[in-house]
């Protein structure tokens, strides 16, 4: 048994969903503490009381900082790490011109390992302790992601991205190969340590009906795997799906016919939905993953958070890097706030924080393990500096209550706000703030 550690700070926890149950479902203990041991949260409560009750626990004093569950990024693309912030394309051109050429490189195991390690280090530096990530068609890319996660003790979901049409030759598999390679990866990785396998058809346009059916059959044989894909992201994409699947009632119906809806199904974007699709998403227990920085960056549309939450949908929040423009779930919360404002609703900071932690964990079917601070939960935690830049500090100094002090960090914060990270109960090294990992000569700039 590890020695107990007592972390002192302002402890944020949820005993319900603030979006449907009200902001009081979030609780902040001002002089709080979290007791962890053996990778688990043992309890939390007033600092003075827990110090007295556990005098032998190692003390980590983060007083003044916000202690939260680590962020859970419910949809991202590890292989797009190096092409984040590529300029000026709509979805289909962006895929063809930037994404597919980069994903081709992941046939090289060494490159896959380099990017997987870089990606998870970036996530931890941004306070993200769990992610559901797409890989590439190459099984080596999945091996690289899970091995990098295992080395860091992270709870990561991932899977081989399956495509058997409308992509370059080097990224194409077949229905049978997608099934076989995914099945072999499930046997090797699913539930090994903290790994979770996600069966991953990229999206309807890059799979034949046969491939989707094969993956539906695979999911039926492994129902405790996740299933992740894209749905109703951009209008041109919807037209393409209609042309490729003329018999389908709508976009979701393409997946539904293949057995790819239900609990554990994660649908990225879900912007341009019909009433029928919304009804089936809710009734089937599927999850909708909001990717706000991606939806503005690629120009896809405005997710209907208020309407979908009122429907009773399960909603997670995600960066969708590299279509998304930031690794930071703080920046992602800010974008979710701005998109909700454009639709006439102001999300409370408690609702945004819930989406980035417990809401995303619930969307992944992991709400009883990660995404919250409660006894028995896995000890993935972050300590957040609520005054990480001069601009944030001067605003939070004016705050009259704690949520007002937190909101500037949501709107203006980034990795500089992440003071400490614990994964599986262990404090993880994160880079010192302002650390440069790429020099001018590395990126091909002419000498000054
Ligand atoms: N649709 C299919 N593939 C992708 C992808 O890689 N990123 C985004 N944003 N949408 C997609
Ligand atoms: Zn995506």
């Amino acid at each position: 048994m590890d020695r107990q550690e007592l972390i002192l700070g302002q402890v944020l926890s949820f005993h319900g969903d603030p979006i449907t149950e009200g902001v009081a479902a979030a609780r902040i203990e001002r002089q709080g503490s979290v007791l962890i041991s053996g990778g688990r949260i043992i309890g939390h409560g007033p600092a003075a009381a827990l110090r007295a009750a556990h005098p032998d626990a190692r003390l980590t004093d983060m007083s003044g900082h916000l202690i939260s569950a680590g962020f859970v990024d419910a949809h991202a693309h590890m292989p797009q790490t190096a092409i984040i912030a590529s300029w000026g394309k709509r979805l289909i051109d962006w895929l063809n011109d930037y994404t597919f050429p980069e994903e081709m490189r992941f046939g090289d195991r060494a490159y896959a390992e380099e990017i997987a390690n870089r990606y998870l280090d970036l996530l931890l530096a941004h306070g993200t302790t769990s992610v559901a990530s797409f890989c590439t068609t190459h099984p080596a890319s999945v091996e690289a992601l899970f091995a990098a996660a295992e080395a860091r003790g992270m709870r990561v979901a991932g899977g081989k991205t399956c495509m058997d049409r409308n992509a370059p030759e080097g990224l194409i598999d077949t229905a049978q190969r997608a099934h076989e390679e995914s099945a072999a990866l499930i046997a090797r990785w699913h539930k090994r340590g903290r790994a979770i396998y996600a069966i991953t058809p990229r999206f309807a346009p890059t799979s034949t009906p046969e491939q989707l059916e094969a993956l539906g059959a695979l999911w039926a044989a492994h129902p405790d795997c996740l299933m992740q894909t894209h749905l109703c992201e951009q209008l041109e994409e919807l037209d393409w799906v209609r042309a490729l699947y003329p018999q389908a009632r709508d976009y979701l119906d393409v997946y539904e016919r293949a057995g790819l809806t239900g609990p554990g199904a994660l649908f990225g974007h879900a912007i341009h939905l019909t009433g029928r699709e919304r009804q089936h998403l809710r009734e089937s227990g599927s999850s909708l993953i909001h990717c706000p920085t991606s939806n503005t960056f690629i120009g896809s549309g405005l997710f209907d958070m208020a309407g979908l939450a009122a429907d009773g949908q399960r909603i997670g929040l995600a960066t969708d890097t590299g279509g998304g423009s930031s690794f930071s779930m703080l920046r992602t919360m800010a974008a979710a706030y701005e998109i909700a404002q454009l639709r006439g609703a102001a999300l409370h900071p408690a609702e945004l924080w819930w989406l980035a932690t417990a809401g995303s964990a619930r969307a992944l079917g992991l709400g009883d393990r990660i995404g919250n601070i409660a006894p028995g939960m896995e000890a993935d935690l972050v300590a957040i500096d609520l005054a990480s830049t001069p601009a944030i500090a001067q605003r939070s100094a004016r705050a009259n209550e704690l949520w007002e002090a937190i909101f500037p960090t949501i709107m203006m914060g980034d990795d500089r706000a992440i003071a400490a990270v614990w994964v599986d109960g262990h404090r993880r090294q994160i880079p010192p703030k302002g650390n440069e990992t790429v020099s001018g000569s590395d990126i091909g700039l002419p000498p000054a």
Side-chain angles (χ1 to χ4, degrees):
M1 190 77 166
D2 295 3
R3 187 172 165 204
Q4 292 183 332
E5 180 177 0
L6 188 64
I7 304 162
L8 311 184
Q10 314 196 64
V11 177
L12 169 56
S13 62
F14 297 98
H15 53 89
D17 163 3
I19 296 182
T20 54
E21 297 168 42
V23 168
R27 184 185 306 148
I28 300 174
E29 295 167 285
R30 292 298 299 267
Q31 257 111 45
S33 63
V34 185
L35 185 68
I36 62 175
S37 179
R40 298 281 168 154
I41 295 168
I42 308 297
H44 63 105
L50 285 195
R51 278 182 83 160
H54 302 277
D56 296 332
R58 183 157 38 96
L59 211 60
T60 303
D61 190 354
M62 291 277 160
S63 299
H65 286 10
L66 188 71
I67 311 297
S68 162
F71 296 126
V72 179
D73 185 345
H75 176 119
H77 298 258
M78 171 276 285
Q80 297 170 14
T81 299
I83 56 144
I84 191 169
S86 292
W87 183 83
K89 305 275 178 175
R90 304 283 297 166
L91 174 62
I92 308 304
D93 294 330
W94 178 85
L95 285 171
N96 286 323
D97 294 351
Y98 298 125
T99 309
F100 291 157
E102 177 65 10
E103 292 192 6
M104 298 265 270
R105 301 183 63 182
F106 284 72
D108 174 356
R109 175 76 189 244
Y111 186 68
E113 285 172 1
E114 179 192 337
I115 299 294
N117 283 297
R118 183 193 302 176
Y119 174 65
L120 293 186
D121 284 344
L122 281 166
L123 289 194
L124 292 179
H126 286 83
T128 298
T129 47
S130 281
V131 66
S133 179
F134 288 57
C135 297
T136 67
T137 326
H138 315 95
S141 69
V142 185
E143 298 279 343
L145 177 69
F146 281 135
E150 192 171 73
R152 290 163 181 76
M154 292 171 72
R155 186 171 277 295
V156 163
K160 166 191 149 73
T161 296
C162 302
M163 298 193 275
D164 66 346
R165 62 170 163 175
N166 294 321
E169 195 55 38
L171 287 178
I172 292 271
D173 54 19
T174 62
Q176 192 185 344
R177 241 183 70 207
H179 184 283
E180 285 171 7
E181 291 179 350
S182 301
L185 288 162
I186 290 170
R188 188 159 148 73
W189 285 104
H190 184 52
K191 293 188 169 171
R192 171 167 149 182
R194 302 184 82 194
I196 296 168
Y197 196 84
I199 293 165
T200 307
R202 177 173 223 117
F203 69 155
T206 49
S207 286
T208 60
E210 295 70 35
Q211 183 172 74
L212 294 179
E213 269 163 38
L215 295 175
L218 182 65
W219 196 27
H222 301 277
D224 60 355
C225 287
L226 296 171
M227 191 295 300
Q228 58 183 353
T229 190
H230 298 87
L231 173 70
C232 296
E233 179 178 0
Q234 205 162 90
L235 292 173
E236 298 93 311
E237 172 204 10
L238 268 68
D239 290 340
W240 197 15
V241 171
R242 232 172 265 123
L244 288 170
Y245 290 89
Q247 70 291 2
R249 287 172 292 179
D250 46 47
Y251 194 156
L252 184 64
D253 194 35
V254 172
Y255 298 130
E256 197 177 329
R257 285 167 187 238
L260 293 170
T261 61
L266 312 174
F267 292 104
H269 304 281
I271 302 168
H272 308 286
L273 299 169
T274 64
R276 196 206 76 82
E277 288 173 304
R278 288 167 72 132
Q279 186 180 348
H280 181 71
L281 285 165
R282 181 172 48 78
E283 288 176 357
S284 64
S286 303
S287 294
L288 287 64
I289 311 299
H290 181 23
C291 306
T293 71
S294 171
N295 296 342
T296 51
F297 185 76
I298 311 185
S300 300
L302 306 179
F303 184 83
D304 180 15
M305 177 64 76
L308 292 163
D311 279 359
Q313 307 279 3
R314 285 161 183 263
I315 301 170
L317 186 66
T319 62
D320 190 32
T321 49
S325 56
S326 174
F327 295 99
S328 170
M329 289 299 283
L330 294 169
R331 176 74 200 99
T332 304
M333 286 185 239
Y337 178 81
E338 289 164 349
I339 287 179
Q341 282 284 49
L342 287 170
R343 297 199 63 124
L347 287 167
H348 189 276
E351 297 175 320
L352 293 164
W353 210 282
W354 183 84
L355 284 165
T357 53
S360 283
R362 186 186 68 170
L364 269 54
L366 295 169
D368 57 346
R369 297 186 188 194
I370 57 169
N372 202 0
I373 294 180
M377 305 274 292
E378 297 171 6
D380 292 342
L381 301 169
V382 284
I384 308 270
D385 178 356
L386 295 175
S388 61
T389 68
I392 294 172
Q394 61 89 38
R395 176 62 187 92
S396 55
R398 276 280 186 94
N400 293 309
E401 49 96 26
L402 205 47
W403 286 118
E404 192 184 343
I406 293 171
F407 192 55
T409 288
I410 292 177
M411 293 309 300
M412 299 192 284
D414 52 31
D415 51 331
R416 289 169 291 180
I418 309 304
V421 179
W422 290 258
V423 178
D424 199 26
H426 298 284
R427 179 103 175 248
R428 293 293 170 202
Q429 208 58 42
I430 53 175
K433 304 308 165 197
N435 183 32
E436 296 296 333
T437 53
V438 180
S439 72
S441 59
D442 289 336
I443 56 175
L445 290 178

